[in-house]
Amino acid sequence: MADGGAGIGVGPYQELTFDAQGDADPATRAAVARMEATDLLVFAHGWNSDRSTATRLFDRFFAPFPGLVGAGVRLGYVGVVWPSMRFSDEPIPDFDPHGTPAAAAAGPALDADTRAALAGFWPGREPELERVAALLAERPESEAALGEFAALVRQLVGAEGAAGPAGAAAPGVPDLFVRDAVTVCRTLTTALAAAGAAAGEPAGPDFTAGDGLRALWGGAKELLRQATYYEMKKRAGVVGEHGLGPVLTDLAGRRPALRFHLVGHSFGARVVSFSLRAVPEGARYVKSLTLLQGAFSHYAFSDRLPHAPGRGGGLRGLQRRVDGPVVACHSSHDSALGVFYPLASRMAGDSAGLLGLDERWGALGHDGVQAVPGTPRLSLDGALNGGLPGAGCVSVDAGSVVRRGGPPSGAHSDICHEELARIVVGAGRMGR
């Protein structure tokens, strides 16, 4: 019988809740510490608009595990809940495969659910959000209005005055927040058209890269969406390093026989990966790390960046703090990571250059681990039938199952598959 959360069909189950600064809720932390289990499956969600969406995801993803683990494994289930949000027009297969009807009808305008989610995501910013919503609803045929919208987005992400020399962004701030608003919105509108075409969607007014300024408000809405991703990226690292990591380290110190298996989706993959920074050198309690459509750099674990050999990735070498494999599941059907992640990561120059491919900015969930020598690249069938390595990084092409979803995110959230649960079980050596 499940415990610790309504709607979860497996047990024992508990939620572990963090705020934006990475502080754990004491009651949920204590509940996790009391769980009776030999192994804890710790899953961090990606972008979701509320706790109920995260809970539904946990329930669907955890469902196959009782039938997959061996008799000697008593699995405890932990859902990591952290402050993120999801635009309600982003489809999640099997939940709302075409987005909500209200969101679909709204076009660039913000539907009520997304508007409420933004208010919770940026508390105390009602004036800015009211004006943002009004501009998206009105879609003025005006360069000045697009410029005003971009300035409001800069205020929301705290990027006012972030432009450096020659108009480039200051360190750590993506260029899309400081570049010319019309150019940025046109580029994002073109990217939306590309994402729609890749998903087989007919061209419509919201996915047209025409020259008319009114047609660019779909791109303006995407700029707002990218602003939330920018904030979530920062939060995910903080929650992982300063929240989840220390909580697990403390629990491992008090219960040294407990084995941890970390799983993360999207920015949740960043949460669980950055938790490795809090794992002491030589500790062996993290037994596996499985990253599902990870929304961070494919060079994160690299000791040497191909384009900057004197530097390494943000998590360089931390795969060695896992007493088992680090499995990166990726899919070419993920438009969020294949189109928008690199676009947001390196936006600079003219509109043609903005859409050019540059592998420096690729995401782990789009093409797997890069620049880590000796990393195997496996098909999903190969990983399931031939097994996973006992340690180190491995990339698994999950595109045979992670393939459903419409624009703008594509298959980014199509992760509730028994095959992926079997990958987690295999990585953690928990199978029958």
Side-chain angles (χ1 to χ4, degrees), residues 163-213:
V173 177
D175 281 355
L176 85 170
F177 296 131
V178 300
R179 293 287 175 178
D180 170 69
V182 173
T183 299
V184 168
C185 291
R186 180 170 285 119
T187 298
L188 291 173
T189 302
T190 302
L192 285 168
E201 295 282 333
D206 298 333
F207 299 102
T208 299
D211 292 331
L213 294 179

Short mmCIF file of all heavy atoms in Angstrom, two decimals, residues 163-213:
data_model
loop_
_atom_site.label_atom_id
_atom_site.label_comp_id
_atom_site.label_asym_id
_atom_site.label_seq_id
_atom_site.Cartn_x
_atom_site.Cartn_y
_atom_site.Cartn_z
N ALA A 163 23.27 43.55 -20.68
CA ALA A 163 24.03 43.64 -21.92
C ALA A 163 25.45 44.09 -21.64
O ALA A 163 25.70 45.05 -20.91
CB ALA A 163 23.36 44.61 -22.89
N GLY A 164 26.40 43.38 -22.22
CA GLY A 164 27.80 43.71 -22.08
C GLY A 164 28.28 44.51 -23.27
O GLY A 164 27.51 45.18 -23.96
N PRO A 165 29.60 44.44 -23.57
CA PRO A 165 30.16 45.17 -24.70
C PRO A 165 29.49 44.77 -26.01
O PRO A 165 29.17 43.61 -26.24
CB PRO A 165 31.64 44.75 -24.69
CG PRO A 165 31.89 44.30 -23.28
CD PRO A 165 30.61 43.71 -22.81
N ALA A 166 29.27 45.73 -26.88
CA ALA A 166 28.71 45.51 -28.22
C ALA A 166 27.35 44.82 -28.17
O ALA A 166 26.97 44.12 -29.09
CB ALA A 166 29.68 44.70 -29.07
N GLY A 167 26.63 44.99 -27.07
CA GLY A 167 25.30 44.43 -26.98
C GLY A 167 25.22 42.98 -26.59
O GLY A 167 24.13 42.43 -26.47
N ALA A 168 26.36 42.31 -26.40
CA ALA A 168 26.34 40.91 -26.00
C ALA A 168 25.88 40.79 -24.56
O ALA A 168 25.98 41.73 -23.76
CB ALA A 168 27.73 40.30 -26.16
N ALA A 169 25.37 39.60 -24.20
CA ALA A 169 24.88 39.39 -22.84
C ALA A 169 26.05 39.29 -21.87
O ALA A 169 27.16 38.87 -22.21
CB ALA A 169 24.05 38.12 -22.78
N ALA A 170 25.79 39.70 -20.63
CA ALA A 170 26.77 39.51 -19.58
C ALA A 170 26.95 38.02 -19.31
O ALA A 170 26.09 37.21 -19.66
CB ALA A 170 26.30 40.23 -18.31
N PRO A 171 28.09 37.62 -18.69
CA PRO A 171 28.32 36.20 -18.43
C PRO A 171 27.15 35.57 -17.67
O PRO A 171 26.64 36.13 -16.71
CB PRO A 171 29.59 36.22 -17.58
CG PRO A 171 30.31 37.45 -17.99
CD PRO A 171 29.21 38.46 -18.27
N GLY A 172 26.72 34.40 -18.15
CA GLY A 172 25.66 33.66 -17.48
C GLY A 172 24.26 34.01 -17.94
O GLY A 172 23.30 33.36 -17.54
N VAL A 173 24.11 35.05 -18.78
CA VAL A 173 22.79 35.45 -19.26
C VAL A 173 22.69 35.13 -20.75
O VAL A 173 23.48 35.62 -21.55
CB VAL A 173 22.56 36.97 -19.04
CG1 VAL A 173 21.20 37.38 -19.62
CG2 VAL A 173 22.65 37.31 -17.57
N PRO A 174 21.74 34.29 -21.17
CA PRO A 174 21.60 33.98 -22.59
C PRO A 174 21.35 35.23 -23.42
O PRO A 174 20.62 36.14 -23.01
CB PRO A 174 20.39 33.04 -22.63
CG PRO A 174 20.34 32.43 -21.27
CD PRO A 174 20.81 33.51 -20.33
N ASP A 175 21.95 35.27 -24.61
CA ASP A 175 21.84 36.45 -25.46
C ASP A 175 20.41 36.77 -25.87
O ASP A 175 20.10 37.90 -26.21
CB ASP A 175 22.69 36.25 -26.72
CG ASP A 175 24.17 36.48 -26.47
OD1 ASP A 175 24.52 36.90 -25.35
OD2 ASP A 175 24.98 36.25 -27.39
N LEU A 176 19.54 35.76 -25.88
CA LEU A 176 18.18 36.03 -26.34
C LEU A 176 17.46 37.04 -25.46
O LEU A 176 16.47 37.64 -25.89
CB LEU A 176 17.37 34.74 -26.44
CG LEU A 176 16.66 34.17 -25.22
CD1 LEU A 176 15.74 33.03 -25.65
CD2 LEU A 176 17.63 33.67 -24.18
N PHE A 177 17.94 37.28 -24.23
CA PHE A 177 17.28 38.23 -23.36
C PHE A 177 17.77 39.66 -23.57
O PHE A 177 17.19 40.59 -23.01
CB PHE A 177 17.48 37.85 -21.89
CG PHE A 177 16.82 36.54 -21.53
CD1 PHE A 177 17.53 35.56 -20.85
CD2 PHE A 177 15.52 36.29 -21.88
CE1 PHE A 177 16.93 34.35 -20.53
CE2 PHE A 177 14.90 35.08 -21.57
CZ PHE A 177 15.62 34.12 -20.90
N VAL A 178 18.83 39.87 -24.36
CA VAL A 178 19.35 41.22 -24.54
C VAL A 178 19.42 41.64 -26.00
O VAL A 178 19.62 42.81 -26.30
CB VAL A 178 20.75 41.37 -23.89
CG1 VAL A 178 20.67 41.08 -22.41
CG2 VAL A 178 21.78 40.47 -24.56
N ARG A 179 19.24 40.70 -26.93
CA ARG A 179 19.31 41.04 -28.35
C ARG A 179 18.06 41.79 -28.80
O ARG A 179 17.05 41.83 -28.09
CB ARG A 179 19.50 39.77 -29.18
CG ARG A 179 20.84 39.08 -28.95
CD ARG A 179 21.95 39.86 -29.60
NE ARG A 179 23.26 39.29 -29.28
CZ ARG A 179 24.40 39.75 -29.76
NH1 ARG A 179 24.40 40.82 -30.56
NH2 ARG A 179 25.55 39.20 -29.42
N ASP A 180 18.11 42.33 -29.99
CA ASP A 180 16.99 43.05 -30.57
C ASP A 180 15.73 42.20 -30.52
O ASP A 180 15.71 41.04 -30.96
CB ASP A 180 17.33 43.40 -32.02
CG ASP A 180 16.13 43.94 -32.77
OD1 ASP A 180 15.69 45.05 -32.45
OD2 ASP A 180 15.63 43.21 -33.65
N ALA A 181 14.67 42.77 -29.99
CA ALA A 181 13.45 42.00 -29.72
C ALA A 181 12.83 41.44 -31.00
O ALA A 181 12.36 40.30 -31.02
CB ALA A 181 12.43 42.87 -28.98
N VAL A 182 12.79 42.22 -32.07
CA VAL A 182 12.18 41.74 -33.31
C VAL A 182 12.96 40.55 -33.87
O VAL A 182 12.38 39.54 -34.29
CB VAL A 182 12.07 42.88 -34.34
CG1 VAL A 182 11.60 42.33 -35.69
CG2 VAL A 182 11.12 43.96 -33.84
N THR A 183 14.28 40.65 -33.85
CA THR A 183 15.12 39.56 -34.35
C THR A 183 14.91 38.29 -33.53
O THR A 183 14.76 37.19 -34.07
CB THR A 183 16.60 39.97 -34.32
OG1 THR A 183 16.79 41.09 -35.17
CG2 THR A 183 17.49 38.82 -34.79
N VAL A 184 14.90 38.46 -32.22
CA VAL A 184 14.73 37.30 -31.34
C VAL A 184 13.35 36.67 -31.54
O VAL A 184 13.23 35.44 -31.67
CB VAL A 184 14.92 37.72 -29.86
CG1 VAL A 184 14.46 36.60 -28.93
CG2 VAL A 184 16.38 38.05 -29.59
N CYS A 185 12.30 37.48 -31.59
CA CYS A 185 10.96 36.93 -31.75
C CYS A 185 10.77 36.28 -33.13
O CYS A 185 10.10 35.25 -33.24
CB CYS A 185 9.91 38.01 -31.53
SG CYS A 185 9.82 38.58 -29.80
N ARG A 186 11.39 36.87 -34.16
CA ARG A 186 11.30 36.24 -35.48
C ARG A 186 12.03 34.89 -35.47
O ARG A 186 11.55 33.90 -36.05
CB ARG A 186 11.88 37.16 -36.54
CG ARG A 186 11.84 36.56 -37.95
CD ARG A 186 12.17 37.57 -39.03
NE ARG A 186 11.06 38.49 -39.24
CZ ARG A 186 11.13 39.81 -39.06
NH1 ARG A 186 12.26 40.36 -38.65
NH2 ARG A 186 10.08 40.57 -39.28
N THR A 187 13.19 34.84 -34.84
CA THR A 187 13.95 33.59 -34.77
C THR A 187 13.17 32.51 -34.03
O THR A 187 13.10 31.36 -34.46
CB THR A 187 15.29 33.84 -34.06
OG1 THR A 187 16.05 34.77 -34.83
CG2 THR A 187 16.08 32.55 -33.91
N LEU A 188 12.56 32.88 -32.91
CA LEU A 188 11.79 31.91 -32.13
C LEU A 188 10.52 31.48 -32.88
O LEU A 188 10.11 30.32 -32.79
CB LEU A 188 11.44 32.48 -30.76
CG LEU A 188 12.64 32.66 -29.82
CD1 LEU A 188 12.23 33.40 -28.55
CD2 LEU A 188 13.26 31.32 -29.45
N THR A 189 9.92 32.38 -33.63
CA THR A 189 8.76 32.01 -34.44
C THR A 189 9.15 31.00 -35.51
O THR A 189 8.43 30.03 -35.77
CB THR A 189 8.14 33.27 -35.09
OG1 THR A 189 7.78 34.19 -34.07
CG2 THR A 189 6.90 32.92 -35.89
N THR A 190 10.31 31.22 -36.14
CA THR A 190 10.81 30.27 -37.12
C THR A 190 11.09 28.92 -36.48
O THR A 190 10.79 27.86 -37.05
CB THR A 190 12.09 30.83 -37.78
OG1 THR A 190 11.80 32.08 -38.38
CG2 THR A 190 12.62 29.86 -38.83
N ALA A 191 11.65 28.94 -35.27
CA ALA A 191 11.93 27.69 -34.57
C ALA A 191 10.64 26.95 -34.22
O ALA A 191 10.56 25.72 -34.30
CB ALA A 191 12.73 27.97 -33.30
N LEU A 192 9.59 27.69 -33.86
CA LEU A 192 8.30 27.06 -33.60
C LEU A 192 7.75 26.39 -34.86
O LEU A 192 7.18 25.29 -34.81
CB LEU A 192 7.30 28.10 -33.10
CG LEU A 192 7.47 28.56 -31.65
CD1 LEU A 192 6.61 29.78 -31.38
CD2 LEU A 192 7.12 27.44 -30.68
N ALA A 193 7.94 27.05 -36.01
CA ALA A 193 7.50 26.45 -37.27
C ALA A 193 8.26 25.16 -37.53
O ALA A 193 7.68 24.16 -37.97
CB ALA A 193 7.71 27.44 -38.41
N ALA A 194 9.57 25.17 -37.26
CA ALA A 194 10.37 23.96 -37.47
C ALA A 194 9.93 22.84 -36.53
O ALA A 194 9.84 21.67 -36.93
CB ALA A 194 11.85 24.27 -37.25
N ALA A 195 9.64 23.19 -35.28
CA ALA A 195 9.19 22.18 -34.32
C ALA A 195 7.85 21.60 -34.73
O ALA A 195 7.60 20.40 -34.60
CB ALA A 195 9.11 22.78 -32.92
N GLY A 196 6.95 22.45 -35.24
CA GLY A 196 5.66 21.97 -35.68
C GLY A 196 5.78 21.05 -36.89
O GLY A 196 5.11 20.02 -36.96
N ALA A 197 6.64 21.42 -37.83
CA ALA A 197 6.84 20.58 -39.00
C ALA A 197 7.42 19.23 -38.62
O ALA A 197 7.02 18.18 -39.15
CB ALA A 197 7.75 21.28 -40.00
N ALA A 198 8.35 19.23 -37.67
CA ALA A 198 8.96 17.97 -37.23
C ALA A 198 7.93 17.06 -36.59
O ALA A 198 8.04 15.83 -36.66
CB ALA A 198 10.10 18.26 -36.25
N ALA A 199 6.92 17.65 -35.95
CA ALA A 199 5.88 16.86 -35.28
C ALA A 199 4.73 16.51 -36.23
O ALA A 199 3.75 15.90 -35.81
CB ALA A 199 5.34 17.61 -34.07
N GLY A 200 4.83 16.94 -37.51
CA GLY A 200 3.78 16.63 -38.46
C GLY A 200 2.56 17.52 -38.31
O GLY A 200 1.48 17.18 -38.79
N GLU A 201 2.72 18.68 -37.66
CA GLU A 201 1.59 19.58 -37.48
C GLU A 201 1.42 20.46 -38.72
O GLU A 201 2.40 20.92 -39.30
CB GLU A 201 1.83 20.49 -36.26
CG GLU A 201 1.88 19.75 -34.94
CD GLU A 201 0.50 19.40 -34.45
OE1 GLU A 201 -0.45 20.10 -34.79
OE2 GLU A 201 0.37 18.40 -33.72
N PRO A 202 0.20 20.74 -39.14
CA PRO A 202 0.00 21.66 -40.25
C PRO A 202 0.41 23.07 -39.87
O PRO A 202 0.29 23.47 -38.71
CB PRO A 202 -1.52 21.59 -40.51
CG PRO A 202 -2.10 21.16 -39.20
CD PRO A 202 -1.08 20.24 -38.58
N ALA A 203 0.92 23.81 -40.84
CA ALA A 203 1.32 25.19 -40.57
C ALA A 203 0.09 26.01 -40.21
O ALA A 203 -0.95 25.92 -40.86
CB ALA A 203 2.01 25.79 -41.78
N GLY A 204 0.20 26.77 -39.17
CA GLY A 204 -0.92 27.59 -38.74
C GLY A 204 -0.43 28.97 -38.37
O GLY A 204 0.76 29.25 -38.42
N PRO A 205 -1.31 29.87 -37.97
CA PRO A 205 -0.91 31.25 -37.69
C PRO A 205 0.07 31.35 -36.54
O PRO A 205 0.86 32.28 -36.50
CB PRO A 205 -2.25 31.94 -37.34
CG PRO A 205 -3.18 30.83 -36.98
CD PRO A 205 -2.76 29.67 -37.80
N ASP A 206 0.06 30.40 -35.61
CA ASP A 206 0.96 30.49 -34.48
C ASP A 206 2.34 29.94 -34.80
O ASP A 206 3.26 30.09 -34.02
CB ASP A 206 0.39 29.70 -33.29
CG ASP A 206 -0.93 30.27 -32.84
OD1 ASP A 206 -1.17 31.47 -33.04
OD2 ASP A 206 -1.74 29.49 -32.30
N PHE A 207 2.51 29.32 -35.96
CA PHE A 207 3.79 28.71 -36.30
C PHE A 207 4.25 29.21 -37.67
O PHE A 207 4.81 28.47 -38.45
CB PHE A 207 3.68 27.18 -36.28
CG PHE A 207 3.29 26.64 -34.95
CD1 PHE A 207 1.99 26.23 -34.71
CD2 PHE A 207 4.22 26.57 -33.93
CE1 PHE A 207 1.63 25.75 -33.47
CE2 PHE A 207 3.86 26.08 -32.69
CZ PHE A 207 2.55 25.67 -32.47
N THR A 208 3.99 30.46 -37.95
CA THR A 208 4.38 31.05 -39.22
C THR A 208 5.46 32.09 -39.00
O THR A 208 5.31 32.98 -38.16
CB THR A 208 3.16 31.72 -39.89
OG1 THR A 208 2.17 30.72 -40.13
CG2 THR A 208 3.55 32.35 -41.21
N ALA A 209 6.54 31.95 -39.75
CA ALA A 209 7.65 32.89 -39.60
C ALA A 209 7.54 34.00 -40.63
O ALA A 209 8.51 34.39 -41.26
CB ALA A 209 8.98 32.15 -39.74
N GLY A 210 6.35 34.51 -40.85
CA GLY A 210 6.15 35.57 -41.83
C GLY A 210 6.78 36.87 -41.38
O GLY A 210 7.19 37.04 -40.23
N ASP A 211 6.79 37.83 -42.30
CA ASP A 211 7.45 39.11 -42.01
C ASP A 211 6.58 40.04 -41.17
O ASP A 211 7.08 40.98 -40.58
CB ASP A 211 7.83 39.80 -43.32
CG ASP A 211 8.94 39.05 -44.05
OD1 ASP A 211 9.75 38.40 -43.36
OD2 ASP A 211 8.98 39.12 -45.29
N GLY A 212 5.26 39.83 -41.15
CA GLY A 212 4.38 40.71 -40.39
C GLY A 212 4.65 40.64 -38.91
O GLY A 212 4.84 39.55 -38.34
N LEU A 213 4.69 41.78 -38.25
CA LEU A 213 5.03 41.80 -36.82
C LEU A 213 4.00 41.06 -35.98
O LEU A 213 4.34 40.47 -34.95
CB LEU A 213 5.16 43.25 -36.34
CG LEU A 213 6.33 44.05 -36.94
CD1 LEU A 213 6.32 45.47 -36.41
CD2 LEU A 213 7.66 43.38 -36.62
#
